[in-house]
Amino acid sequence: MFDIKSSFILSKLGIQGFQLQKENPNSNIIFGVLWGDILTLLDKSFNQLEENELKLLIKIIKSILGEESEYPFEKEIHSIDEVPKKLRLLISFNKNKTHLKIKSLHFIQSVPLQTLEKNLNDKKELWLKIKEYKNADETS
């Protein structure tokens, strides 16, 4: 949302630049990105992703949709109320448990992108889950 310098200046003025999801676990605030009918939940705002985390996220989406496809970035989601009622897939890159009530949804839980990019075993585990989802999706 804000860069570090802007957040610092706002904090000196007594203005909170953003609300961390961890501070209020009962809140509807989420950090997510909608890619067509695929929702990815993140542990921080999409705008706060490092370049390497963003590249990894795009590679993951392309692995689901196919390399030839343009990734259909639709919008950033900040509230549970913004989540469509029906999705094809939800991938959570968030340590917190997600309690979204969405119909006919495949769900994949992963470690945060920052952890994922550094750990080969976590990448393999995610890839197996994606492969399993793709096989199930093809048979439906």
Side-chain angles (χ1 to χ4, degrees):
M1 185 169 164
F2 298 109
D3 64 356
I4 294 171
K5 188 185 283 187
S6 298
S7 294
F8 176 75
I9 293 169
L10 288 171
S11 72
K12 291 300 178 190
L13 295 172
I15 300 170
Q16 181 69 19
F18 58 90
Q19 180 180 8
L20 292 175
Q21 189 174 13
K22 295 173 190 166
E23 289 178 3
N24 190 357
N26 297 326
S27 170
N28 299 359
I29 296 174
I30 60 173
F31 301 115
V33 181
L34 192 59
W35 312 81
D37 56 358
I38 298 171
L39 177 64
T40 53
L41 295 178
L42 307 171
D43 61 340
K44 57 187 167 186
S45 171
F46 184 72
N47 296 327
Q48 293 176 324
L49 291 177
E50 300 291 328
E51 184 179 345
N52 49 353
E53 293 171 317
L54 180 59
K55 285 179 181 179
L56 178 58
L57 181 59
I58 291 170
K59 284 180 185 179
I60 291 166
I61 295 301
K62 283 189 170 191
S63 76
I64 295 167
L65 299 174
E67 278 298 317
E68 314 79 50
S69 303
E70 282 294 315
Y71 56 96
F73 176 84
E74 213 169 290
K75 66 178 181 174
E76 187 172 4
I77 304 284
H78 298 286
S79 166
I80 292 173
D81 301 331
E82 296 177 65
V83 176
K85 296 296 179 214
K86 190 170 182 176
L87 293 169
R88 178 168 50 136
L89 176 64
L90 171 66
I91 305 175
S92 179
F93 297 99
N94 191 334
K95 291 178 261 184
N96 299 334
K97 294 292 180 198
T98 305
H99 302 290
L100 297 177
K101 295 180 183 183
I102 302 169
K103 293 184 180 180
S104 66
L105 175 71
H106 293 279
F107 178 73
I108 296 174
Q109 180 69 50
S110 178
V111 296
L113 291 168
Q114 185 177 26
T115 305
L116 188 64
E117 73 173 333
K118 296 175 184 170
N119 189 316
L120 188 58
N121 289 330
D122 288 333
K123 283 182 186 177
K124 285 180 183 179
E125 186 178 324
L126 177 60
W127 173 244
L128 289 173
K129 290 177 184 178
I130 290 172
K131 191 174 178 181
E132 184 179 303
Y133 159 74
K134 287 176 76 170
N135 289 339
D137 196 40
E138 288 173 1
T139 58
S140 324

